[in-house]
Amino acid sequence: MAAFDTETTGVDVETDRIVSAAVVVQDAPGARPRVTRWLVNPGVPMPAAATAVHGLTDERLQRDGRWPAPVMEEMVRELAEQAAHGRPLVVMNAPFDLTLLDRELRRHRASSLDRWFETTPLQVLDPRVLDKHLDRYRKGRRTLTDLCAHYEVTLEGAHDAGADALAALEVVRAVGRRFAARLARLSPAELHTLQAVWHAAQARGLQAWFARSGSEEAVDPAWPLRPDLPAAA
C-alpha cells in the first residue's frame, strides 16, 4: 500500500495551503517503508496556531521550502504512479488532504486532481471512515492519535507528514486484521466505493446531531474529494 498526508496553514480546504507532505510506500506488511517528502513555501503567512501544531515556521518555510507550483505537480505525479501500480492509497480523513491538493493544483497549475485519474482512478482507504463504519458504536474521538492508541499502532512524531502517513497505513492494516471476516472478500476498488456510501451516511448522522444541538455547522457528505466551489480561492 501507499499513504499520503499533508501539513497545512489551517483547516479550510478552500483557502488554506499545503506546507509539507509525504507519500509512504510499503510493499508488504513489515517491509521497510519508502518515504518521499516535500516542504513548501506557501507564499502566505504561517498562522501561529498552525505552527503550534506541526512546528513549521515562516522562517523555516522561506529558507527551505520550495515554490508550490512544481511541488504540487510532483505530489500528484507520485500519487498517479501509485495508482498505476495498483497500490491502494491510505489517506486519513481523505476529503481534507485530497481536496486541499486539488485546490492547490487549481491554484498553481490550472489543473485538478480528477484530471490525473481519469484513466487509472485512485483507490483510497480512509482509516477514519473504515473504523467508524466497522466499529460504529464505540465511544470516543477518532483522530489519528486516537485510532493509533485503539489499534496499538506506534505514532512517533505526530503532525509530521511522513510519520502520520505511516501511522495511518499501519492503522488500516490493523483494521483489516481485526475485521478480516467482513473485509477479506472486498477488493480495494469495492472498498473505495463502499467508503463513499459509508462516509455519506456518517455525514448525515453528524449533520443530524449538529441540528439537534442547535449548531448550523454543515457537514459535506462527499468522499474522498469535495466538489469544486466556484468561489474557491
Side-chain angles (χ1 to χ4, degrees):
M1 292 192 295
F4 176 63
D5 188 74
T6 66
E7 298 299 330
T8 68
T9 59
V11 297
D12 187 331
V13 296
E14 302 299 339
T15 59
D16 280 305
R17 312 297 174 91
I18 294 173
V19 294
S20 71
V23 170
V24 174
V25 180
Q26 190 180 42
D27 294 323
R32 184 180 181 87
R34 305 190 301 276
V35 184
T36 303
R37 299 174 181 272
W38 295 271
L39 192 66
V40 186
N41 180 350
V44 298
M46 172 62 73
T51 297
V53 172
H54 49 58
L56 295 171
T57 63
D58 276 325
E59 181 182 8
R60 169 82 190 283
L61 296 174
Q62 290 170 13
R63 184 184 69 239
D64 301 328
R66 297 168 56 204
W67 191 242
V71 177
M72 299 308 153
E73 182 154 341
E74 288 176 18
M75 286 183 200
V76 74
R77 282 186 184 278
E78 180 67 25
L79 298 188
E81 181 178 333
Q82 301 311 318
H85 281 88
R87 294 190 183 101
L89 183 69
V90 175
V91 190
M92 173 71 185
N93 192 17
F96 179 77
D97 293 83
L98 294 183
T99 303
L100 264 168
L101 178 56
D102 176 78
R103 301 315 192 247
E104 290 279 48
L105 288 168
R106 293 171 186 270
R107 184 177 292 121
H108 296 290
R109 303 298 301 179
S111 182
S112 70
L113 202 63
D114 285 338
R115 291 183 194 175
W116 283 83
F117 299 98
E118 291 174 341
T119 57
T120 308
L122 282 171
Q123 298 175 5
V124 178
L125 300 175
D126 187 332
R128 183 179 182 184
V129 174
L130 290 169
D131 172 73
K132 195 169 184 179
H133 176 78
L134 294 164
D135 196 1
R136 67 182 67 184
Y137 299 114
R138 189 178 80 249
K139 302 295 184 181
R141 302 174 65 201
R142 299 178 195 249
T143 67
L144 180 60
T145 300
D146 297 320
L147 295 184
C148 285
H150 181 71
Y151 288 99
E152 299 181 344
V153 169
T154 300
L155 174 55
E156 296 181 355
H159 300 297
D160 168 83
D164 286 355
L166 179 59
L169 189 152
E170 293 296 344
V171 167
V172 166
R173 292 200 188 282
V175 170
R177 290 191 296 269
R178 185 167 300 186
F179 298 99
R182 299 168 64 181
L183 298 175
R185 296 182 181 181
L186 296 170
S187 69
E190 290 170 329
L191 260 180
H192 179 103
T193 300
L194 285 170
Q195 286 171 100
V197 176
W198 297 343
H199 179 271
Q202 292 163 9
R204 288 193 297 270
L206 184 57
Q207 189 72 74
W209 185 86
F210 281 144
R212 291 193 300 271
S213 302
S215 172
E216 297 182 358
E217 184 172 349
V219 183
D220 196 323
W223 183 97
L225 178 66
R226 296 178 188 172
D228 180 40
L229 297 179

